[in-house]
Amino acid sequence: MRRFNIALLAALTLSTALSTAPAQAHDRTPPLGLANCTATACHFDVPPGTYDVTVRLGGESAASTAVSGETRRSLLPETATAAGRTVTRGFTVNVRTPEGEPTGPDGTPGLDLTLGGTAPALADIRVTPAHHPRQLILIGDSTVCDQPGDPYSGWGQQLPQFLRKGVSVANYADSGESTVTYLENPLLWGTVQPLIHPGDLVLVQLAHNDKTTDEATYRANLETLVRGIRDRGGRPVLVTPIVRRWFNADGTLNNNTALLVNGLGVDLPGVVRSVAAAEGVTLIDLTAQTKALVESLGVEGSKAIYLYNEKKDNTHTSAHGATVYAGLVRDALVARHLLPEDRVRVG
């Protein structure tokens, strides 16, 4: 009896091995990891979608590593590691075409990451499809968008570095857009609205280019965006625009240029506040917050927030300024309980 059982077991084992061999061969596809990287960059040939990225930073020598990706998005802030030590960090990234501004070039297919910092060191990396990530969709203009060229940066381009794995930023802001043009362009609202899933946060900051939009039209356009977001089950968040760095003689920003009162006399941030109150929409008053910050820095100190030194530009932000403003947005999202604290990086 024992001899029969041994023979039967051997036969069954051989049969199982033969039947599973094709599946094992099929599963030999290399994982998306360090083999896809050089010392300064990684490329992963993945289709559009949302991906979780886990990195192990550090090594034998002291290191300091930051990670950016796609069109200059800051995905992980610079992280220092002592000699002989490593740390593990994670983030979630949105991969799409076009990879930057919706009306811009397609960019490079797949996921591209760049290793930066003063002494970058990547010990390991893993890329996997994200399952049920929380999505932040951004609708805005050039002060929000993924700017393609240095030294420009929108605050939406810097926001991902403040978020942990499980929350992705899909930045559909586009340079030069007003509420009028954003709604009219099928590459913008016509593309973004179908992508909104129930529970998604959709942040809207459109005002800088509504220079000739009358108050009734501006209000109606904001209401259309709010209604369209809610129709898809999304949660709209209205964001008043960042101020322009335009000082009065007394060191304040209390003028139409700085506070975005347009050529028709429409107080655009005021209308945003009014619509938010009337529609029961969460408001992030970035106008008030950036005004207070710029005034506190003064005429000279605030130059580094904008591109005054590089371009004599008092509207668009530097990477430093965009990071500061993205931090204000992060803080507002947490304060309003729109994001759990364990999904947000601090400091």
Side-chain angles (χ1 to χ4, degrees):
M1 180 66 72
R2 181 178 298 174
R3 184 177 301 166
F4 171 79
N5 285 343
I6 292 173
L8 178 59
L9 177 60
L12 289 173
T13 302
L14 178 60
S15 174
T16 302
L18 290 173
S19 65
T20 59
Q24 291 172 342
H26 180 72
D27 291 340
R28 287 174 186 164
T29 304
L32 297 177
L34 208 56
N36 300 82
C37 301
T38 67
T40 58
C42 303
H43 172 76
F44 302 94
D45 188 16
V46 296
T50 306
Y51 295 88
D52 287 334
V53 180
T54 302
V55 294
R56 187 158 55 87
L57 307 176
E60 294 182 2
S61 303
S64 188
T65 312
V67 182
S68 60
E70 299 295 88
T71 303
R72 303 176 61 238
R73 299 179 215 161
S74 294
L75 300 171
L76 190 69
E78 188 159 355
T79 303
T81 48
R85 302 296 297 272
T86 62
V87 297
T88 300
R89 297 287 185 269
F91 54 87
T92 300
V93 59
N94 173 257
V95 177
R96 62 181 185 271
T97 303
E99 69 178 34
E101 295 180 87
T103 62
D106 285 353
T108 305
L111 171 60
D112 287 284
L113 303 176
T114 300
L115 306 176
T118 55
L122 178 66
D124 196 14
I125 184 169
R126 285 291 180 268
V127 176
T128 58
H131 297 292
H132 310 296
R134 185 76 178 273
Q135 182 171 232
L136 269 67
I137 296 176
L138 307 183
I139 291 173
D141 52 38
S142 59
T143 65
V144 183
C145 76
D146 288 349
Q147 288 281 359
D150 185 65
Y152 291 90
S153 179
W155 61 256
Q157 200 164 16
Q158 302 298 329
L159 186 59
Q161 67 181 299
F162 291 109
L163 305 174
R164 298 183 187 275
K165 187 188 295 185
V167 183
S168 72
V169 175
N171 191 351
Y172 284 90
D174 196 72
S175 293
E177 306 301 341
S178 66
T179 57
V180 176
T181 60
Y182 203 96
L183 284 168
E184 289 177 344
N185 192 332
L187 295 176
L188 299 172
W189 181 236
T191 295
V192 175
Q193 189 189 21
L195 300 177
I196 300 171
H197 298 129
D200 285 347
L201 292 175
V202 185
L203 278 61
V204 179
Q205 187 216 277
L206 286 169
H208 277 272
N209 300 300
D210 281 280
K211 299 172 184 177
T212 60
T213 309
D214 64 79
E215 182 171 346
T217 300
Y218 186 63
R219 180 181 298 272
N221 289 344
L222 292 174
E223 291 169 346
T224 296
L225 289 165
V226 167
R227 184 168 56 253
I229 293 165
R230 284 175 166 166
D231 285 347
R232 296 287 301 174
R235 185 167 184 179
V237 178
L238 292 180
V239 183
T240 59
I242 66 170
V243 294
R244 294 190 178 99
R245 184 189 163 277
W246 203 271
F247 284 93
N248 296 325
D250 64 359
T252 67
L253 299 179
N254 296 318
N255 59 75
N256 288 356
T257 301
L259 299 184
L260 287 97
V261 177
N262 75 8
L264 300 180
V266 180
D267 178 359
L268 298 170
V271 177
V272 177
R273 297 181 188 111
S274 175
V275 171
E279 299 293 325
V281 174
T282 300
L283 174 74
I284 296 178
D285 198 342
L286 208 51
T287 304
Q289 290 181 288
T290 56
K291 177 180 184 293
L293 176 62
V294 171
E295 287 180 344
S296 72
L297 292 171
V299 174
E300 290 301 317
S302 62
K303 288 179 179 178
I305 296 288
Y306 292 83
L307 290 171
Y308 181 85
N309 294 324
E310 299 86 351
K311 302 284 186 179
K312 297 298 187 286
D313 187 332
N314 293 305
T315 297
H316 298 96
T317 48
S318 64
H320 164 66
T323 301
V324 172
Y325 287 176
L328 295 177
V329 174
R330 179 269 318 268
D331 293 345
L333 291 171
V334 173
R336 288 154 180 77
H337 306 290
L338 297 175
L339 284 179
E341 293 187 25
D342 63 354
R343 287 290 179 265
V344 176
R345 297 184 203 281
V346 295

